[in-house]
């Protein structure tokens, strides 16, 4: 297999400085096609067989094809999980985060700091769950004239923060707090985590891409 011959519905490659990259692409290949582009370990092959649902299969495969494309390597990529179930690259130095929604996959790589990325298709259903992931103080700054997009920006930020922090037992509503921010097509928001091992506030970024919201965090822990 040669990575230069991989054909895919690549949507976006975005660089942040020299060491951090975000890739987004549309998954429109068959599972058989996706499988043919990967080198899977025996453990990964067994795990893949447990993913019965078709969409979950394509998400799992597609995100790994995107990872291989972004890393530009023919070598085996040992993608594992740490004790908190956070994805880690065992044989490459980059930090990695993976997300997918509907027919899109997102991968973020950084040589410098831990990262977290989230992508979500923008839908009205977020209105039904806003009280589950936002505190009353956070709900107060939501722009009522762009409520759905503002809520998705907050949801994706909290997902990205959760993945970046990488530890279990963190409540979106009670433990991750987003400071007020004005919604834009592309912007940022400060946040804090109510944990003893977390100090000063940090920054998360977000942007709207087609009918999706994407957010990410790149920072030291």
């Amino acid at each position: 297999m040669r990575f230069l011959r991989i054909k895919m519905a690549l949507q976006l490659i975005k660089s942040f400085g020299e060491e951090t990259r975000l890739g987004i692409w549309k998954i429109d290949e068959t599972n058989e096609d996706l499988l043919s582009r990967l080198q899977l370990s025996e453990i990964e092959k067994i795990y893949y067989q447990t993913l019965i649902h078709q969409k979950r299969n394509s998400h799992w495969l597609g995100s790994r094809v995107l990872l291989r494309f972004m890393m530009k390597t023919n070598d085996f990529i040992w993608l594992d999980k740490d004790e908190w179930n956070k994805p880690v690259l065992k044989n490459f130095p980059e930090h990695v985060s993976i997300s997918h929604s509907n027919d899109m996959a997102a991968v973020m790589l950084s040589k410098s700091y831990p990262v977290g990325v989230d992508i979500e298709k923008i839908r009205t259903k977020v209105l039904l769950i806003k009280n589950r992931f936002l505190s009353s103080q956070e709900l107060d700054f939501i722009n009522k004239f762009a409520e759905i997009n503002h809520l998705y920006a907050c949801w994706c930020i909290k997902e990205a923060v959760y993945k970046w922090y990488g530890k279990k037992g963190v409540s979106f509503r009670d433990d991750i707090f987003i400071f007020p921010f004005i919604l834009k097509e592309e912007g940022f928001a400060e946040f804090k985590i109510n944990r003893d091992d977390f100090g000063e506030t940090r920054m998360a970024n977000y942007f709207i891409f087609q009918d999706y919201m994407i957010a990410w965090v790149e920072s030291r822990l």
Side-chain angles (χ1 to χ4, degrees):
M1 182 181 68
R2 297 180 60 189
F3 69 85
L4 292 176
R5 291 183 180 178
I6 289 179
K7 294 181 179 179
M8 54 198 299
L10 186 66
Q11 302 293 299
L12 177 71
I13 291 289
K14 198 175 179 70
S15 297
F16 309 97
E18 297 182 355
E19 298 188 338
T20 305
R21 290 166 293 145
L22 170 66
I24 300 170
W25 72 290
K26 186 175 182 180
I27 306 171
D28 57 9
E29 294 85 355
T30 65
N31 286 352
E32 290 72 21
D33 186 17
L34 293 170
L35 268 172
S36 70
R37 306 177 187 193
L38 294 172
Q39 300 173 22
L40 298 181
S41 68
E42 289 303 315
I43 294 176
E44 288 174 319
K45 290 176 183 178
I46 293 171
Y47 178 73
Y48 170 70
Q49 295 300 320
T50 69
L51 303 178
I52 299 174
H53 192 279
Q54 180 72 18
K55 179 57 70 174
R56 191 176 177 191
N57 279 343
S58 60
H59 283 167
W60 191 85
L61 294 170
S63 59
R64 281 155 177 76
V65 173
L66 175 57
L67 175 63
R68 176 165 291 278
F69 176 85
M70 292 177 66
M71 295 187 70
K72 296 186 174 9
T73 181
N74 292 322
D75 296 334
F76 172 71
I77 298 173
W78 186 4
L79 181 63
D80 203 352
K81 294 181 179 180
D82 67 10
E83 61 181 315
W84 303 105
N85 214 34
K86 183 177 181 179
V88 292
L89 291 167
K90 289 297 188 73
N91 59 335
F92 288 91
E94 286 89 350
H95 299 275
V96 63
S97 185
I98 297 172
S99 182
H100 30 67
S101 177
N102 199 44
D103 58 355
M104 290 285 196
V107 171
M108 191 165 203
L109 293 168
S110 174
K111 294 180 180 178
S112 301
Y113 299 112
V115 292
V117 67
D118 188 58
I119 183 169
E120 299 287 344
K121 187 173 178 64
I122 298 172
R123 299 181 175 129
T124 57
K125 68 177 184 179
V126 73
L127 295 170
L128 302 175
I129 62 170
K130 61 183 181 181
N131 291 298
R132 299 180 190 176
F133 67 91
L134 291 180
S135 66
S136 58
Q137 296 96 323
E138 292 167 323
L139 286 169
D140 284 343
F141 68 71
I142 298 297
N143 183 346
K144 301 305 179 184
F145 298 101
E147 186 176 13
I148 293 175
N149 282 359
H150 211 165
L151 289 172
Y152 263 106
C154 291
W155 172 261
C156 287
I157 286 172
K158 292 202 174 190
E159 276 280 6
V161 170
Y162 183 84
K163 293 178 178 181
W164 165 78
Y165 185 61
K167 297 180 181 180
K168 299 295 184 181
V170 176
S171 165
F172 277 28
R173 185 182 64 184
D174 300 326
D175 295 329
I176 302 174
F177 180 77
I178 302 174
F179 291 88
F181 69 98
I182 297 173
L183 180 70
K184 300 178 181 179
E185 289 291 313
E186 182 171 357
F188 66 91
E190 291 185 316
F191 69 88
K192 67 178 181 180
I193 302 176
N194 295 321
R195 281 289 185 269
D196 291 338
D197 61 350
F198 191 85
E200 70 272 17
T201 60
R202 306 290 173 83
M203 185 176 70
N205 298 271
Y206 71 89
F207 68 99
I208 300 171
F209 179 74
Q210 298 177 12
D211 53 349
Y212 289 80
M213 184 71 70
I214 299 99
W216 75 94
V217 178
E218 181 206 15
S219 176
R220 70 188 186 282
L221 286 173

